[in-house]
């Protein structure tokens, strides 16, 4: 495998150029997916035989929960790249993705709580899945707060990277909490290895929504990272040229 | 890979491994405390602390639900396939409560081994299906049972 791609990623200028070309495609794709998934899931998908229409919140809840965990794994990966290869862009990615991940976790918790009331009979229960997800939210808060507390950029980068890497042990706990312990939360709806336990007209829109959330996440992350790169490299000549051109 | 980078990578992996091991030990020590509920088998085996508020979880046994005619009192059996525990409750049951459904009840065991619950929560599984499919499956099951019944008379 050629490593030029990987090493080029270290150059903020190269990143700014390539992400600019990616943005329009990503925007179109994620808006399309989101529109199709929402209408399909919320209007056309059949209702559940037990829960009726209230089950439709799955089309927001599950994608948000998947993204919350994927985003954290991305933070940990960025942390490793930042610590081992000292790549500046990895720190930019880590800082920019943390708030998005925190919001995703928040959305998953809120939608889950709204869903819990009509189905389980309670908004919140200290069950292993719910609690580990709450810990994930606090991990995100910790990373964001750590970054804000340390004014030196390099020190902050190292500290947040270490925190992101250490916190990754929570991810398998979230994933397997429903298998290891008795929980109120049901086991996973989507797994890579098994067929989903629902008919295609229910899980296809869910899949579309998951892809849409990944698209929106990537879009949001790239926009935030481009802004952060410009801010950090504002003294570089290529940044000045871009800004002068657009002014 | 550059030796310095390799050293840093190994150091990070070791740190994650160490933290992972520590968390795994802590979680296995807390095993029972993390479980949301006791199963009927655990309750029958006496693994439950005396006089403590506990949660019991399991499937509501078909045909065991008895409602009081003039109050909200209900009692029903909850089973995990091997043992069953009777639960008494006074109040409105959640919408998803039905026989054959998983539930979790919070309360105290009385002297007769009946769980006097003050909260009942419904569990649901990860299987979702449209009402028509559920109906078709029930019809098929009923038909099979009806076909099977005369045969057993012989």
């Amino acid at each position: 495998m050629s490593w030029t791609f990987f090493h080029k990623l270290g150059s903020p200028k190269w990143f700014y150029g390539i992400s600019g070309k990616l943005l329009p495609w990503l925007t179109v794709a994620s808006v399309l997916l989101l529109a199709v998934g929402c209408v399909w899931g919320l209007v056309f998908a059949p209702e559940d035989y037990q829960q009726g229409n209230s089950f439709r919140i799955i089309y927001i809840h599950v994608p948000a929960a998947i993204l919350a965990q994927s985003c954290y794994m991305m933070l940990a990966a960025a942390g490793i790249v930042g610590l081992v290869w000292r790549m500046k862009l990895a720190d930019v990615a880590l800082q920019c993705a943390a708030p998005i991940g925190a919001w995703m976790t928040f959305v998953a918790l809120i939608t889950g709580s709204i869903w819990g009331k009509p189905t389980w009979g309670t908004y919140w229960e200290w069950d292993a899945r719910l609690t580990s997800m709450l810990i994930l939210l606090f991990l995100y808060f910790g990373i964001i707060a750590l970054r804000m507390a340390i004014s030196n950029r390099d020190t902050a980068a190292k500290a947040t990277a270490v925190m992101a890497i250490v916190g990754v042990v929570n991810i398998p706990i979230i994933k397997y909490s429903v298998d290891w312990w008795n929980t109120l939360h049901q086991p996973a709806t989507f797994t890579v290895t098994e067929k989903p336990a629902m008919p295609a007209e229910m899980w296809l829109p869910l899949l579309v929504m998951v892809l849409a959330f990944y698209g929106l996440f990537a879009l949001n992350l790239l926009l935030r990272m481009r802004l952060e790169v410009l801010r950090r490299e504002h003294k570089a000549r290529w940044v000045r040229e871009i800004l002068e051109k657009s002014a | 890979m550059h030796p310095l980078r390799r050293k840093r990578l190994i150091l990070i992996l070791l740190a994650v491994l160490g933290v992972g091991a520590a968390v795994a030990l802590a979680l296995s020590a807390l095993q029972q405390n993390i479980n949301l509920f006791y199963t009927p088998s655990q309750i029958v085996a006496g693994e439950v602390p005396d006089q403590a508020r506990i949660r019991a979880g399991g499937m509501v046994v078909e045909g065991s639900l008895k409602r009081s005619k003039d109050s909200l009192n209900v009692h029903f059996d909850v089973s995990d396939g091997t043992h069953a525990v009777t639960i008494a409750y006074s109040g409105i049951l959640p919408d998803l409560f039905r026989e054959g459904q998983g539930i979790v009840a919070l309360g105290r065991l009385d002297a007769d081994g009946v769980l006097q619950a003050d909260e009942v929560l419904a569990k649901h599984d990860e299987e979702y299906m449209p009402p028509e499919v559920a109906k078709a499956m029930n019809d098929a099951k009923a038909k099979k049972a009806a076909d099977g019944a005369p045969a057993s008379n012989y």
Side-chain angles (χ1 to χ4, degrees):
Chain A
M1 199 179 95
S2 155
W3 285 87
T4 40
F5 168 79
F6 191 65
H7 288 296
K8 267 187 186 164
L9 263 178
S11 146
K13 186 185 173 191
W14 183 84
F15 166 79
Y16 194 85
I18 198 88
S19 64
K21 281 183 207 132
L22 257 171
L23 276 181
W25 297 102
L26 210 53
T27 314
V28 171
S30 39
V31 167
L32 263 180
L33 282 169
L34 194 68
V36 169
C38 272
V39 174
W40 194 356
L42 299 183
V43 180
F44 293 107
E47 55 177 44
D48 181 56
Y49 73 117
Q50 282 197 324
Q51 299 179 32
N53 280 320
S54 69
F55 115 99
R56 290 184 200 278
I57 203 168
I58 199 175
Y59 296 111
I60 307 291
H61 177 72
V62 168
I66 289 179
L67 253 293
Q69 295 169 65
S70 300
C71 176
Y72 198 88
M73 289 197 278
M74 200 215 86
L75 287 196
I80 291 177
V81 171
L83 282 184
V84 175
W85 284 273
R86 297 285 143 90
M87 195 183 280
K88 275 190 275 179
L89 212 55
D91 180 50
V92 176
L94 205 159
Q95 305 314 328
C96 294
I100 314 178
W103 275 113
M104 287 293 174
T105 318
F106 183 72
V107 168
L109 283 170
I110 289 293
T111 51
S113 154
I114 294 170
W115 195 7
K117 189 62 187 172
T119 51
W120 299 337
T122 179
Y123 286 113
W124 182 263
E125 193 61 47
W126 291 102
D127 119 313
R129 169 60 72 85
L130 276 59
T131 310
S132 54
M133 206 61 188
L134 189 66
I135 292 172
L136 183 69
L137 184 64
F138 291 155
L139 280 173
Y140 277 122
F141 284 169
I143 289 171
I144 296 168
L146 199 58
R147 142 63 24 126
M148 288 176 169
I150 304 172
S151 52
N152 180 298
R153 187 180 289 158
D154 288 337
T155 321
K158 267 184 211 158
T160 46
V162 168
M163 176 150 186
I165 294 167
V166 168
V168 88
V169 289
N170 191 33
I171 295 295
I173 296 178
I174 297 178
K175 174 144 178 40
Y176 294 107
S177 55
V178 287
D179 304 325
W180 289 340
W181 299 294
N182 300 332
T183 55
L184 189 62
H185 196 285
Q186 66 281 6
T189 309
F190 262 1
T191 49
V192 183
T193 46
E194 276 171 64
K195 218 162 89 47
M198 50 165 115
E201 67 253 47
M202 279 176 162
W203 67 256
L204 269 176
L206 185 53
L207 184 67
V208 172
M209 281 305 273
V210 171
L211 293 178
F213 267 61
Y214 269 108
L216 279 182
F217 170 75
L219 185 65
N220 202 327
L221 181 63
L222 281 188
L223 286 172
R224 280 169 186 254
M225 281 177 72
R226 281 162 65 84
L227 198 62
E228 181 69 17
V229 163
L230 286 188
R231 213 167 61 82
R232 289 191 184 190
E233 306 284 320
H234 67 277
K235 289 200 183 109
R237 181 190 275 174
W238 66 270
V239 173
R240 230 177 296 153
E241 278 167 8
I242 289 174
L243 293 179
E244 274 163 9
K245 231 188 327 185
S246 61
Chain B
M1 202 189 276
H2 194 280
L4 184 66
R5 286 174 187 160
R6 178 179 318 203
K7 202 175 129 198
R8 286 199 291 242
L9 187 61
I10 291 172
L11 218 64
I12 291 172
L13 291 181
L14 278 179
V16 171
L17 223 64
V19 174
V23 171
L25 284 175
L27 287 181
S28 62
L30 291 171
Q31 183 73 29
Q32 187 52 59
N33 293 324
I34 300 173
N35 280 331
L36 184 69
F37 53 84
Y38 289 97
T39 62
S41 296
Q42 286 174 305
I43 295 173
V44 170
E47 287 178 32
V48 174
D50 280 342
Q51 298 303 314
R53 268 161 67 83
I54 57 155
R55 287 196 188 84
M59 290 288 184
V60 180
V61 177
E62 299 273 352
S64 71
L65 178 66
K66 304 264 186 319
R67 288 178 196 273
S68 157
K69 287 214 175 70
D70 51 357
S71 70
L72 285 172
N73 292 338
V74 289
H75 60 93
F76 50 88
D77 294 347
V78 155
S79 147
D80 60 357
T82 45
H83 292 96
V85 162
T86 304
I87 293 176
Y89 177 65
S90 172
I92 297 166
L93 293 165
D95 288 354
L96 278 188
F97 183 95
R98 58 200 71 184
E99 291 177 350
Q101 179 84 34
I103 63 110
V104 175
L106 172 67
R108 279 177 217 278
L109 283 176
D110 65 10
D112 306 327
V114 174
L115 188 84
Q116 299 290 341
D118 42 48
E119 185 184 37
V120 172
L121 302 176
K123 262 170 79 72
H124 67 87
D125 55 19
E126 71 282 20
E127 287 186 29
Y128 305 89
M129 55 177 119
E132 307 87 61
V133 177
K135 190 175 174 299
M137 277 171 66
N138 270 331
D139 289 352
K141 217 194 262 171
K143 191 165 176 293
K144 212 170 156 192
D147 291 347
S152 63
N153 286 340
Y154 292 107

